[in-house]
Amino acid sequence: HVRVGQYGSDNEAIIDLDDDADKNEVLVVQRGSGNTVDMGDDGEINDSDKNTVKVRQFGTDNDATVLLQEDADNNSLKITQRGSENNAEVRVVDNSNNNTVKVFQAGSGNTVDMWGSDGISDDSDYNHVMVSQRGTNNDAEVEIEDGSDRNQVYAAQAGSDNEIDDIEIDEDSDYNYVMAVQAGSDNTISDIDIENSSDKNAVIAAQLGMKNRLNVGITNDSDSNTVTSTQAGEKNRSTVKINKDSDRNTVDGTQRGSKNKSTVSVKRFSDRNTVKTVQKGSENESKVAIARDSDKNSVKTVQKGSGNDSEVEVADNSNNNNVTTKQKGADNRSKVFATDSSSRNNVTVNQKGSDNASR
């Protein structure tokens, strides 16, 4: 058992568990500003298993760095930071498996970085990461790459002007599960990217509040992924792009409230994808575009309320797509465009209510 307590400013604690240093318990408590806990540059957990490390930092401008590498398995790490402008950086690399990392931050301007530090990578599997941030102007980034499979990442933010800057599943990383939740206003999930032959991953995104933003991209031969998003509030924006030979993906988006916008693009050579958009409220907009040479996709738009707009476009040489639009309420408008060179597409528009228009 190792316990370290530091009080004041600009203190540093280095934790180095190396070469079969197993089943240790470490607690570091720092109070003040500009303090550092280093388990990533001068210190690390390397080829060591079943260790428990807890880091508690109270104050401003503190930094905690965690590196699990080279077959570091079944370790448990918990970082708690209370205050402003704090930073936590986490890396799980080099075939490190079954580790649990929890990061809690309360305050403003805090950052959790699993991006620039490569996050979970290099065939690291079955890891569990949980990030919780409360306050304003906080930022979290997550990356899973290089054949890292079956990892679980949970990121939650409560407050305003927060950002989950990037969630990326990349380079043959499969069967991963990511959940991102934001509660408050003016929050952003700027990019959820599944790319480069990453298959069968599941991403769930939920935003509760006003003027939130969500962007999702599935690209570069990434197949059979599932993305589910929910936005509740007003003036929210959701954008989804499926492109570059990405097939059999499922995207299910729901928006509840008024003046929300949803945009879905199925780019060239992307086939057999299923996209469903549900909007409940008034003055919402939904746009779906299927680009040329994309076949056998299924697109369904459901709008319930008044003054909603739905637009679907099927471009040249896109065949055997199924497009369904359902609107219930008054003053709704539906537009469907299909070019002459596209064939065997099935388009259905169903409107219930008064003063609706379809063309």
Side-chain angles (χ1 to χ4, degrees), residues 7 12 54 80 94 120 129 134 139 159 252 257 268 270 281 301 306 327 330:
Y7 302 89
E12 183 177 20
K54 296 180 181 180
T80 301
D94 298 331
I120 301 173
V129 177
R134 294 180 180 271
D139 182 85
D252 193 340
R268 295 188 68 182
S270 295
T301 303
S306 60
Q327 294 177 316

Side-chain angles (χ1 to χ4, degrees), residues 32-44:
S33 62
N35 294 308
T36 300
V37 175
D38 187 353
M39 289 182 286
D41 292 323
D42 296 319
E44 63 194 11

Side-chain angles (χ1 to χ4, degrees), residues 86-310:
N86 295 306
N87 177 65
E89 185 175 304
V90 178
R91 297 179 64 197
V92 182
V93 300
D94 298 331
N95 196 33
S96 295
N97 306 315
N98 287 301
N99 297 288
T100 299
V101 179
K102 298 180 180 180
V103 181
F104 299 92
Q105 293 178 324
S108 61
N110 295 308
T111 301
V112 177
D113 182 7
M114 292 182 63
W115 173 269
S117 59
D118 295 330
I120 301 173
S121 62
D122 301 324
D123 298 302
S124 296
D125 306 329
Y126 295 101
N127 295 288
H128 300 260
V129 177
M130 184 173 69
V131 176
S132 176
Q133 295 176 314
R134 294 180 180 271
T136 60
N137 293 301
N138 295 307
D139 182 85
E141 301 177 334
V142 176
E143 183 173 21
I144 302 171
E145 66 174 10
D146 297 331
S148 296
D149 305 329
R150 293 179 172 85
N151 297 285
Q152 296 184 18
V153 177
Y154 302 86
Q157 294 177 324
S160 60
D161 295 306
N162 293 308
E163 183 172 13
I164 297 177
D165 190 29
D166 284 289
I167 296 175
E168 182 171 301
I169 302 173
D170 194 9
E171 298 178 11
D172 297 296
S173 296
D174 306 327
Y175 296 102
N176 295 287
Y177 178 90
V178 177
M179 174 179 282
V181 179
Q182 293 178 320
S185 59
D186 294 300
N187 294 310
T188 301
I189 301 177
S190 59
D191 286 297
I192 297 175
D193 291 320
I194 302 173
E195 58 187 9
N196 297 327
S197 301
S198 296
D199 305 327
K200 298 181 176 67
N201 298 286
V203 176
I204 296 177
Q207 294 176 313
L208 311 175
M210 297 177 58
K211 298 180 181 178
N212 296 306
R213 302 290 182 268
L214 169 66
N215 296 304
V216 178
I218 302 174
T219 186
N220 291 345
D221 197 28
S222 295
D223 304 328
S224 301
N225 298 286
T226 301
V227 177
T228 304
S229 68
T230 301
Q231 294 177 315
E234 296 184 352
K235 298 181 180 179
N236 294 306
R237 303 289 182 268
S238 173
T239 302
V240 177
K241 295 180 180 180
I242 303 173
N243 57 18
K244 295 183 180 179
D245 296 297
S246 295
D247 306 325
R248 297 182 299 279
N249 296 287
T250 300
V251 177
D252 193 340
T254 300
Q255 293 178 319
R256 302 176 187 271
S258 61
K259 298 181 180 178
N260 296 305
K261 291 185 178 180
S262 172
T263 303
V264 178
S265 301
V266 180
K267 301 295 186 178
R268 295 188 68 182
F269 308 115
S270 295
D271 305 325
R272 295 182 175 86
N273 296 287
T274 300
V275 178
K276 182 179 180 181
T277 301
V278 177
Q279 294 177 318
K280 296 182 179 181
S282 60
E283 299 181 67
N284 295 306
E285 295 182 17
S286 173
K287 293 184 178 181
V288 178
I290 300 175
R292 60 183 303 176
D293 301 306
S294 296
D295 304 326
K296 297 181 180 178
N297 295 287
S298 176
V299 177
K300 184 176 182 179
T301 303
V302 178
Q303 294 177 319
K304 296 181 180 180
S306 60
N308 295 308
D309 284 289
S310 174

